């Protein structure tokens, strides 16, 4: 009886609370079901579909966490449990970036500025998400090997620091987007959809930043620090804030046109431009007549 308990303690650095793990699993499973139903039934924008596998992975992470202390634990189970609960919150930040690029696309801006080109911003957001996540993932994997633990810890800290720098830059860009009047779009039946979408992004970014700072403190203080040797910070500053972030982002579809309405909106705007050009043309044609009468 003492053997398996000691092995669990060796990996986790504390004795995991089983009821807390089951509650977290139930919460993420319910949010996952809600997200799937909302996205599929309400025809959310394509970029929101990324959240389904991410939230499912987070849910499976807690399944593996339960498996780790319910069956004989080994490094493979522990690593999978960690990866499944660490990577989704990192990658879900891509939804924040995609929200802004989708907003810019719907605004139909005609500009050569890099920071207002939704295609280039999309590529940049992928790079800014993948690179820090890879550093954290590889760093976490290396920490399971005793000889490579210092290298893995430094890589994890580097990845977390890089992600914090990205979050800070994105926050400044959010302020610019909020003030930029040329970034505007319409959604039938929704008043000021841009403002409502940005509020959700600000909230999600704040929640993910709290979780990121916690992970940075955890890595910086090492395996004997209070953030590592106590379980409650994991649920308060990680699981809880990630659950709220997913819940907030799952309502973004109410701030954007449905997938089958985007073409209609773009066509409608094209008609408006054609109408304006036609009115200008008619005005120019009428001016000589007025001059002739005089």
């Amino acid at each position: 009886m003492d053997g398996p308990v000691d092995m669990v303690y060796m990996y986790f650095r504390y004795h995991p609370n089983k009821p807390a793990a089951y509650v977290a699993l139930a919460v993420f499973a319910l949010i996952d079901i809600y997200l799937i139903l909302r996205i599929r039934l309400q025809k959310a924008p394509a970029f929101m579909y990324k959240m389904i596998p991410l939230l499912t992975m987070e849910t499976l992470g807690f399944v593996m966490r339960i498996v780790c202390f319910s069956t004989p634990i080994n490094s493979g189970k522990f690593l999978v449990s960690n990866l499944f609960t660490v990577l989704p919150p990192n990658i879900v930040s891509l939804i924040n970036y995609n929200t802004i690029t989708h907003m810019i696309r719907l605004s139909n801006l005609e500009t050569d500025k890099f920071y207002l080109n939704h295609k280039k911003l999309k590529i940049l957001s992928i790079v800014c998400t993948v690179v820090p996540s890879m550093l954290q993932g590889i760093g976490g994997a290396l920490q399971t090997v005793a000889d490579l633990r210092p290298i893995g810890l430094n890589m994890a800290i580097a990845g977390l620091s890089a992600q914090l720098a990205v979050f800070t830059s994105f926050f400044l860009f959010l302020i610019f987007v909020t003030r930029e009047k040329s970034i505007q779009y319409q959604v039938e039946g929704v008043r000021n959809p841009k403002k409502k979408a940005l509020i959700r992004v600000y909230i999600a970014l704040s929640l993910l930043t709290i979780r990121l700072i916690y992970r940075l403190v955890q890595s910086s203080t090492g395996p004997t620090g209070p953030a590592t040797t106590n379980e409650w910070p994991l649920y308060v500053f990680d699981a809880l804030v990630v659950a709220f972030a997913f819940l907030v982002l799952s309502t973004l579809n109410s701030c954007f046109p449905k997938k089958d309405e985007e073409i209609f909106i773009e066509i409608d705007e094209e008609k408006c431009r054609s109408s304006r050009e036609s009115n200008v043309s008619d005005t120019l044609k009428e001016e000589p007549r007025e001059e002739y009468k005089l």
Side-chain angles (χ1 to χ4, degrees):
M1 186 70 181
D2 291 340
V5 174
D6 290 339
M7 287 296 294
V8 169
Y9 184 85
M10 186 186 74
Y11 280 101
F12 285 96
R13 300 292 175 176
Y14 51 75
H15 293 108
N17 185 286
K18 294 183 180 181
Y22 283 109
V23 169
L25 173 60
V27 169
F28 278 105
L30 288 173
I31 297 176
D32 197 8
I33 294 170
Y34 170 75
L35 176 68
I36 293 171
L37 292 176
R38 187 179 180 95
I39 288 178
R40 295 299 295 264
L41 295 179
Q42 298 186 14
K43 299 179 181 179
F47 73 89
M48 289 186 64
Y49 281 75
K50 298 185 186 79
M51 285 196 290
I52 295 177
L54 292 176
L55 189 49
T56 302
M57 184 183 295
E58 182 77 20
T59 306
L60 292 175
F62 281 95
V63 171
M64 289 303 302
R65 185 178 181 85
I66 293 170
V67 169
C68 283
F69 57 68
S70 299
T71 62
I73 191 173
N74 56 48
S75 58
K77 293 178 183 178
F78 183 73
L79 180 60
V80 171
S81 173
N82 272 353
L83 287 177
F84 276 28
T85 53
V86 168
L87 290 182
N90 289 345
I91 301 175
V92 80
S93 59
L94 188 62
I95 303 300
N96 277 338
Y97 312 145
N98 287 165
T99 300
I100 303 305
T101 56
H102 190 63
M103 193 180 293
I104 293 173
R105 185 179 74 83
L106 291 176
S107 300
N108 288 324
L109 298 178
E110 295 181 2
T111 177
D112 56 353
K113 296 177 180 178
F114 171 82
Y115 52 87
L116 290 178
N117 186 308
H118 67 91
K119 293 181 179 179
K120 293 180 180 179
L121 281 176
K122 191 173 182 180
I123 296 173
L124 179 62
S125 64
I126 293 173
V127 173
C128 291
T129 303
V130 171
V131 173
S133 297
M134 285 184 64
L135 287 172
Q136 293 175 51
I138 296 172
L142 292 178
Q143 289 181 61
T144 59
V145 182
D147 295 338
L148 301 177
R149 190 166 296 160
I151 297 175
L153 184 60
N154 290 332
M155 287 187 68
I157 293 174
L160 291 164
S161 301
Q163 193 172 33
L164 186 59
V166 171
F167 279 12
T168 304
S169 301
F170 181 64
F171 176 76
L172 297 175
F173 186 62
L174 271 182
I175 295 175
F176 165 77
V177 172
T178 303
R179 297 179 177 178
E180 181 59 44
K181 295 182 179 180
S182 64
I183 301 176
Q184 197 61 257
Y185 62 96
Q186 301 296 325
V187 179
E188 186 177 355
V190 180
R191 184 178 179 181
N192 202 347
K194 173 187 172 180
K195 179 180 178 181
K196 293 179 179 179
L198 285 173
I199 289 174
R200 287 163 169 78
V201 174
Y202 275 115
I203 293 173
L205 179 62
S206 300
L207 290 169
L208 293 174
T209 302
I210 292 172
R211 180 252 173 198
L212 179 60
I213 293 173
Y214 157 69
R215 286 291 182 179
L216 190 56
V217 170
Q218 184 186 45
S219 296
S220 301
T221 54
T224 58
T228 304
T229 55
N230 290 284
E231 187 177 22
W232 67 266
L234 173 71
Y235 287 103
V236 174
F237 299 114
D238 194 310
L240 187 61
V241 296
V242 169
F244 273 116
F246 270 106
L247 199 57
V248 170
L249 292 174
S250 67
T251 64
L252 273 172
N253 64 302
S254 62
C255 307
F256 290 111
K258 295 180 180 179
K259 284 200 301 183
D260 54 356
E261 291 180 353
E262 288 182 14
I263 297 176
F264 170 79
I265 290 174
E266 291 173 357
I267 291 176
D268 185 59
E269 290 180 355
E270 183 64 33
K271 286 181 179 179
C272 289
R273 285 195 293 270
S274 299
S275 178
R276 288 195 296 269
E277 291 174 0
S278 177
N279 290 337
V280 171
S281 178
D282 291 342
T283 302
L284 292 174
K285 289 179 181 179
E286 289 176 2
E287 284 181 355
R289 294 180 185 177
E290 294 295 330
E291 198 173 289
Y292 175 76
K293 289 179 181 179
L294 289 171

